[in-house]
Amino acid sequence: MLQQRAGFIRKPRYWPCRNSIKTPYRNPNHFTRSLVSTLLSGYLSGRSPNRQGPCVENLRNRRSSSLSPIRVLNLSQSQRNTIYALATPPGKAGIGIIRISGADVDEVFRSIVKPSGKRETSTIQGLPKPRIAMRCQFVSPVNGEILDDGLVLYFRANASYTGEDTLEFHIHSSRATISAVLKALSTIPGCRLAEPGEFTRRAFEAGRMDLTQVEGLRDLLDAETEQQRKLALRSAVGTTRRRFESIREQIIRNLAFVEAIIDFGEGEEIEDGVWEQSKERIYKLRTEIQNHLNDNRRGEILRNGIRLAIFGPPNAGKSSLLNYLAQREAAIVTPLPGTTRDVLELSLDIDGMPVVVADTAGLRKTDDVVERIGVDRAKEAVKTADIRLCVLSLPELLSSTKSRTPFAPSPSPIPQSISDLIAPETLFLINKSDLLPSTTDTNSFLETILPAQRAWLTSVQQGSGMSEFLSGFSQVLRDKYDAGETGNEPLITTARHRAHLENAVKFLDTFMEMDANEVVFAAEELRYAAQEVGRISGLIDVEEVLDSIFKEFCIGK
């Protein structure tokens, strides 16, 4: 019998054949060749050889599983590391750009790109010269069908956006053409469709940009107004990063002095007064950070949009004002009180400022259940707004001033239903000025009924006074939320920045409370403060915030 031990076959003295005749075994080499030939012939033919003993047949059955055909497995998502995506908006256009990044761009080039005419290559893989557009045809890797005629660009890893070898296909932007080229890319092993923001994430992981630049790029893609563009661009080009790095470097510099005191102590190697100087510098730095935190959320409001609430009594002209600002019939306007029963919001661009305007229900006491819900929502919208604009009807103001008795205290012209929502910074628009006599002094009238308040007298329906209102209102927005010139722009633009700076201030406050006897713990507080500032730019491990940032990008970015 054949015996299998330790990976080899022990040869018997006699070979048992099918006719049970003992045949002496004489030539070992001849036996080995015959055995191998028998096994292979049986495997390849799928049938038993004519002169094959039962023991050999049993051995073939035991070995058949290991000799089965090789199965080709599909690559996993992590193994398909070359990504591709459409980098331009989908739809009809002159040019659409498909971006490919990863280690297999040479395979993509050979499979899909068919150069038109003579071409010059500059790499071993046969890729075209970097940053030089090459005319070509894009073909299907499956059957060689021509998909489109366009341009291809190659970017080397050391000079590409992602830090990897990158190709760009410039094709005709029709839905059919884009779909055909993307389908062709999907057939290439090692390629897969990119996830949202994956190109930028690879750029971040390659050290091409920090987190503030990533956020700035995202905001630049989402910018809808001039002020948003300016604010986002400063972050995207690295201005915000340098300002945060300056704060962190100051903390680390003082940390070095404090740790020097721990290692050597004051007196001999280190001059006296180092501890006091460090505390003085940290106090100034802490004041600077606190000033950034006390900016009334200027950067965050400008980035997300200034929330403006238009409120007032019914039929004062609130919805008419919204329609005038939107330049369309966005809200229903009728002479019936209580027409608007819910909060209607519109995003507008007012002199380059992003403004989210909310038209609210008229504020009054009512027994109508639906209208009461609208009034409650209106009050909540006014309380959470960044700017409050109260619209009042001129006829009602005139009637309230005429009802005053000669020697009684002058009552407020503002209706009682909205007086609780009036704040010192509330703006007023007095509507229906066309009902005011032409001989009335407008300025003195406003000072009489609304002293110490910023107000405009207009007629929204007639358009009189509206240019002055828009000019004055735009100035209010610029004074409060303008991005400012270089060096005066808001540093904090996201809630993440604010949270890390607030934590850093807490550590600096703890440092300021310590004396020289607690220098070891004081150094730790400075180290924690530096880490909090470093997390803003991504200098410290920030894996937990990466997904939330990059998922807001489009696929091709």
Side-chain angles (χ1 to χ4, degrees):
M1 300 293 293
L2 295 178
Q3 299 179 13
Q4 181 180 357
R5 291 183 181 179
F8 62 90
I9 298 177
R10 185 177 181 181
K11 306 177 185 62
R13 183 174 179 180
Y14 291 94
W15 176 251
C17 297
R18 197 180 297 271
N19 56 10
S20 301
I21 299 176
K22 293 183 178 180
T23 304
Y25 170 67
R26 299 175 183 237
N27 190 341
N29 294 330
H30 175 73
F31 173 82
T32 304
R33 288 194 299 269
S34 300
L35 178 61
V36 173
S37 175
T38 302
L39 289 176
L40 288 178
S41 62
Y43 170 72
L44 296 176
S45 63
R47 55 185 176 82
S48 301
N50 293 330
R51 301 188 62 178
Q52 177 176 303
C55 295
V56 176
E57 184 175 0
N58 293 337
L59 176 62
R60 184 180 68 83
N61 292 332
R62 289 197 304 268
R63 294 288 190 175
S64 61
S65 60
S66 62
L67 295 175
S68 59
I70 299 176
R71 183 183 300 277
V72 179
L73 301 178
N74 295 324
L75 296 177
S76 66
Q77 188 81 347
S78 60
Q79 291 172 318
R80 301 167 65 189
N81 204 32
T82 298
I83 58 176
Y84 63 89
L86 180 66
T88 51
K92 294 182 179 180
I95 296 176
I97 299 176
I98 295 177
R99 178 181 292 169
I100 306 102
S101 177
D104 295 326
V105 295
D106 55 333
E107 179 64 24
V108 173
F109 184 86
R110 289 193 298 267
S111 301
I112 294 182
V113 178
K114 182 180 180 182
S116 300
K118 184 179 179 180
R119 66 183 179 93
E120 296 182 2
T121 61
S122 61
T123 63
I124 299 177
Q125 297 90 339
L127 294 169
K129 288 185 176 180
R131 297 176 177 270
I132 297 178
M134 186 183 74
R135 181 75 178 273
C136 66
Q137 290 180 333
F138 300 101
V139 300
S140 171
V142 178
N143 53 22
E145 177 189 1
I146 298 177
L147 305 177
D148 194 19
D149 184 88
L151 300 174
V152 63
L153 278 164
Y154 167 62
F155 300 89
R156 282 178 176 165
N158 59 356
S160 71
Y161 176 73
T162 60
E164 302 172 326
D165 285 346
T166 302
L167 285 177
E168 283 188 1
F169 292 169
H170 293 226
I171 62 178
H172 296 96
S173 183
S174 67
R175 294 186 182 275
T177 303
I178 292 173
S179 177
V181 177
L182 292 178
K183 183 178 180 180
L185 286 168
S186 68
T187 63
I188 300 177
C191 292
R192 62 174 174 84
L193 189 65
E195 298 176 357
E198 189 169 4
F199 285 94
T200 301
R201 180 160 188 162
R202 292 191 177 192
F204 169 77
E205 292 172 347
R208 296 287 194 218
M209 55 179 63
D210 74 325
L211 275 184
T212 60
Q213 290 176 289
V214 171
E215 291 171 327
L217 178 60
R218 177 194 61 193
D219 295 342
L220 190 61
L221 296 175
D222 295 335
E224 297 181 349
T225 67
E226 181 67 12
Q227 294 298 323
Q228 287 178 322
R229 181 194 66 80
K230 290 181 178 179
L231 188 66
L233 185 60
R234 289 166 183 165
S235 296
V237 299
T239 302
T240 303
R241 178 198 65 193
R242 289 188 289 270
R243 296 176 69 183
F244 280 120
E245 285 182 353
S246 175
I247 295 175
R248 181 172 178 268
E249 288 173 359
Q250 293 182 61
I251 298 176
I252 293 177
R253 189 178 302 112
N254 286 278
L255 174 61
F257 285 112
V258 173
E259 289 185 336
I261 297 175
I262 298 175
D263 293 336
F264 303 103
E266 294 183 341
E268 296 182 0
E269 292 85 355
I270 300 179
E271 61 183 9
D272 296 335
V274 173
W275 172 256
E276 288 75 14
Q277 294 174 10
S278 297
K279 295 196 71 172
E280 182 179 353
R281 288 191 291 266
I282 290 297
Y283 175 78
K284 293 181 179 179
L285 180 60
R286 190 261 182 213
T287 303
E288 177 186 346
I289 298 175
Q290 191 62 49
N291 289 337
H292 290 304
L293 292 172
N294 295 338
D295 64 349
N296 295 320
R297 297 173 52 249
R298 183 162 60 109
E300 296 148 279
I301 291 174
L302 190 60
R303 173 179 175 267
N304 299 321
I306 305 167
R307 302 195 67 83
L308 167 66
I310 302 175
F311 70 102
N315 270 13
K318 302 181 297 298
S319 297
S320 297
L321 175 61
L322 178 68
N323 292 341
Y324 182 89
L325 295 174
Q327 296 296 304
R328 63 184 177 88
E329 296 294 326
I332 299 175
V333 178
T334 70
L336 301 176
T339 302
T340 302
R341 297 197 171 194
D342 205 349
V343 178
L344 176 62
E345 291 189 348
L346 290 178
S347 296
L348 302 177
D349 182 347
I350 300 180
D351 196 21
M353 296 284 186
V355 181
V356 182
V357 184
D359 179 25
T360 62
L363 301 178
R364 65 172 179 174
K365 292 183 179 180
T366 178
D367 296 330
D368 189 293
V369 177
V370 178
E371 187 177 357
R372 192 184 307 124
I373 295 174
V375 169
D376 293 338
R377 291 185 178 182
K379 292 180 179 179
E380 185 64 26
V382 173
K383 292 177 182 178
T384 58
D386 302 315
I387 294 182
R388 305 179 184 186
L389 177 60
C390 180
V391 179
L392 300 175
S393 174
L394 181 59
E396 294 183 5
L397 290 178
L398 290 175
S399 62
S400 64
T401 55
K402 289 179 180 180
S403 63
R404 300 177 184 175
T405 58
F407 300 101
S410 298
S412 172
I414 300 174
Q416 186 65 31
S417 59
I418 64 173
S419 58
D420 294 339
L421 300 176
I422 302 300
E425 66 275 7
T426 300
L427 307 176
F428 288 87
L429 186 140
I430 312 303
N431 192 24
K432 305 179 182 179
S433 64
D434 52 309
L435 302 179
L436 191 69
S438 58
T439 57
T440 304
D441 185 357
T442 304
N443 294 330
S444 61
F445 179 79
L446 292 178
E447 292 176 0
T448 301
I449 63 175
L450 293 173
Q453 296 287 352
R454 186 70 182 269
W456 296 271
L457 191 64
T458 67
S459 173
V460 179
Q461 290 289 350
Q462 301 295 328
S464 60
M466 291 304 296
S467 59
E468 291 80 3
F469 162 72
L470 289 178
S471 177
F473 182 69
S474 299
Q475 187 60 46
V476 172
L477 295 179
R478 286 193 296 269
D479 293 341
K480 197 170 184 179
Y481 298 110
D482 186 69
E485 301 297 331
T486 304
N488 191 35
E489 68 271 12
L491 176 64
I492 304 172
T493 57
T494 67
R496 188 181 69 87
H497 299 172
R498 184 171 297 276
H500 286 305
L501 285 184
E502 287 175 347
N503 292 337
V505 167
K506 292 178 182 179
F507 290 121
L508 295 181
D509 288 341
T510 305
F511 170 82
M512 294 299 300
E513 296 172 357
M514 295 182 176
D515 55 29
N517 296 326
E518 301 173 294
V519 64
V520 175
F521 299 105
E524 286 301 306
E525 297 299 323
L526 291 182
R527 184 174 291 107
Y528 293 149
Q531 290 176 356
E532 287 294 334
V533 180
R535 286 190 174 94
I536 297 176
S537 299
L539 300 177
I540 308 298
D541 182 30
V542 288
E543 185 66 27
E544 66 275 7
V545 303
L546 292 182
D547 291 336
S548 63
I549 291 178
F550 291 110
K551 72 180 181 182
E552 299 181 23
F553 279 81
C554 59
I555 301 295
K557 200 65 178 176

